[in-house]
């Protein structure tokens, strides 16, 4: 069986399980379950702490894992990203009291508190900054107030929690992260079950990104209509019973669907419909 690591909690857990369910894989029914077997798809899922997944995958004990790019890099594990998944996006940044630290160079000789000492240590080394890094498992915002550190490095989404703690970000982002599928560096790329797993997830990503659009238009307007809805290869065009009219079907980006519908209507197209795509293979 293909052995896959899945986050057991945190912001990665729910979206990862939801994507796997959409891809047709059986998922656990209770949060206390540590292992789920999907015999129909010949897959075994192991629910692990997100920080540990890269380590298990790099050891070769598990074939594939879903984790955050930040956690992969911070672990230093011998594993690599093979498919970004588009959720759990975050930005990793430095922060301190307003005006206390203006840029990266000002961190020289100072102490930085973070949960991701691997990322921070490497970033400082890459930029030639000699500073101390203190590991904390959480609530790093309080480290400055308690005198543990001069600055912190943490995931920043809206910045609200930092402002509430009287802090502000400075310098360039350390890194941007999102959920991803990982495997051991140098692992067999011809694994049939692993390739099928990736195709299924890619199908989910496409299904979430596109909608199917159907509409009727006059034959003389077809070229202009097709320019608005080129599809992936090309749209499907069928003649209608009424002479001079054709039916068109094409995949279009979901984010652009309303604008495209407006443009098609202005062109004279009618009976314009969009439907969700639940699964696909490209």
């Amino acid at each position: 069986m293909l052995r896959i690591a899945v986050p057991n909690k945190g912001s990665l857990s729910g979206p990862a399980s939801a994507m796997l369910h959409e891809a047709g894989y059986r998922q656990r029914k209770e949060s206390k379950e540590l292992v789920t077997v999907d015999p129909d798809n010949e897959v075994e899922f192991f629910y692990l702490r997100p920080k540990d997944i890269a380590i298990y995958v790099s050891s070769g004990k598990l074939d594939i894992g879903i984790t955050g790019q930040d956690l992969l890099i911070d672990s230093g594990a011998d594993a690599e990203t093979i498919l970004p998944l588009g959720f759990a996006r975050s930005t990793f940044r430095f922060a301190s009291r307003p005006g206390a630290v203006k840029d990266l160079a000002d961190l020289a000789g100072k102490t930085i508190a973070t949960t991701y000492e691997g990322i921070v240590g490497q970033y400082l080394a890459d930029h030639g900054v000699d500073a101390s890094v203190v590991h904390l498992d959480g609530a790093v915002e309080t480290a400055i107030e308690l005198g543990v550190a001069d600055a912190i490095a943490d995931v920043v989404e809206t910045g609200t929690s930092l402002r509430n703690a009287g802090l502000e970000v400075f310098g360039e982002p350390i890194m941007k992260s999102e959920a991803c599928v990982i495997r051991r560096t140098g692992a067999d790329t011809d694994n049939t079950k692993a390739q099928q797993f990736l195709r299924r997830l890619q199908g989910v990503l496409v299904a979430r990104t596109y909608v199917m659009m159907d509409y009727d238009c006059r034959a003389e307007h077809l070229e202009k209509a097709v320019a608005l809805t080129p599809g992936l290869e090309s749209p499907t065009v069928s003649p209608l019973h009424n002479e001079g009219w054709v039916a068109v079907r094409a995949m279009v980006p979901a984010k652009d669907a309303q604008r495209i519908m407006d443009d098609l209507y202005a062109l004279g197209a009618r009976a314009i419909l969009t439907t969700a795509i639940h699964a696909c293979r490209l």
Side-chain angles (χ1 to χ4, degrees):
M1 283 193 170
L2 189 69
R3 295 158 65 87
I4 301 174
V6 183
N8 66 344
K9 60 182 179 180
S11 62
L12 291 165
S13 178
S17 290
M19 178 170 279
L20 291 170
H21 178 74
E22 288 181 51
Y25 293 104
R26 178 184 298 178
Q27 289 298 286
R28 62 181 181 177
K29 296 180 180 179
E30 301 290 338
S31 60
K32 293 182 180 180
E33 293 181 44
L34 301 179
V35 180
T36 294
V37 178
D38 184 346
D40 293 337
N41 292 301
E42 299 184 74
V43 177
E44 195 170 9
F45 294 101
F46 296 82
Y47 298 89
L48 305 170
R49 292 177 69 244
K51 283 191 172 184
D52 297 335
I53 287 176
I55 303 297
Y56 281 105
V57 172
S58 68
S59 72
K61 302 299 182 184
L62 299 178
D63 302 300
I64 285 175
I66 295 177
T67 189
Q69 289 175 323
D70 52 350
L71 298 175
L72 167 62
I73 294 172
D74 191 62
S75 71
D78 190 18
E80 61 184 355
T81 296
I82 53 176
L83 179 65
L85 295 177
F87 63 85
R89 288 191 172 102
S90 61
T91 303
F92 199 56
R93 304 198 66 164
F94 290 113
S96 187
R97 287 196 177 98
V101 183
K102 295 182 179 179
D103 54 37
L104 184 63
D106 290 342
L107 289 175
K110 290 182 167 53
T111 300
I112 305 158
T114 184
T115 304
Y116 303 86
E117 68 272 24
I119 293 175
V120 176
Q122 187 61 54
Y123 186 85
L124 294 172
D126 290 343
H127 290 80
V129 177
D130 184 13
S132 299
V133 179
V134 174
H135 173 81
L136 295 176
D137 282 328
V140 295
E141 296 93 342
T142 61
I144 296 175
E145 181 180 353
L146 296 176
V148 174
D150 303 296
I152 66 169
D154 201 11
V155 172
V156 177
E157 295 181 0
T158 63
T160 300
S161 59
L162 290 178
R163 288 192 294 271
N164 290 340
L167 305 178
E168 67 177 12
V169 299
F170 64 87
E172 296 296 319
I174 300 169
M175 70 170 294
K176 292 183 182 293
S177 177
E178 65 179 287
C180 59
V181 179
I182 65 170
R183 70 180 172 201
R184 182 170 55 87
T185 303
D188 179 16
T189 58
D190 295 326
N191 186 315
T192 303
K193 292 188 182 69
Q195 290 178 345
Q196 182 186 69
F197 177 77
L198 292 174
R199 281 196 300 271
R200 287 195 182 191
L201 292 190
Q202 288 169 335
V204 171
L205 291 172
V206 173
R208 289 178 172 184
T209 305
Y210 287 84
V211 294
M212 188 66 72
M213 185 170 289
D214 294 89
Y215 60 90
D216 300 338
C217 78
R218 296 285 305 175
E220 60 265 29
H221 299 149
L222 180 60
E223 291 305 316
K224 290 182 179 179
V226 166
L228 294 171
T229 59
L232 296 185
E233 301 295 340
S234 66
T236 299
V237 180
S238 306
L240 292 178
H241 179 70
N242 289 341
E243 188 175 352
W245 283 83
V246 294
V248 183
R249 162 170 278 202
M251 289 173 64
V252 302
K255 65 181 179 63
D256 299 328
Q258 292 294 334
R259 177 186 56 78
I260 292 173
M261 293 175 77
D262 291 338
D263 292 343
L264 287 172
Y265 190 88
L267 191 62
R270 295 295 182 264
I272 308 169
L273 307 174
T274 62
T275 53
I277 300 171
H278 297 290
C280 70
R281 297 289 185 276
L282 300 181

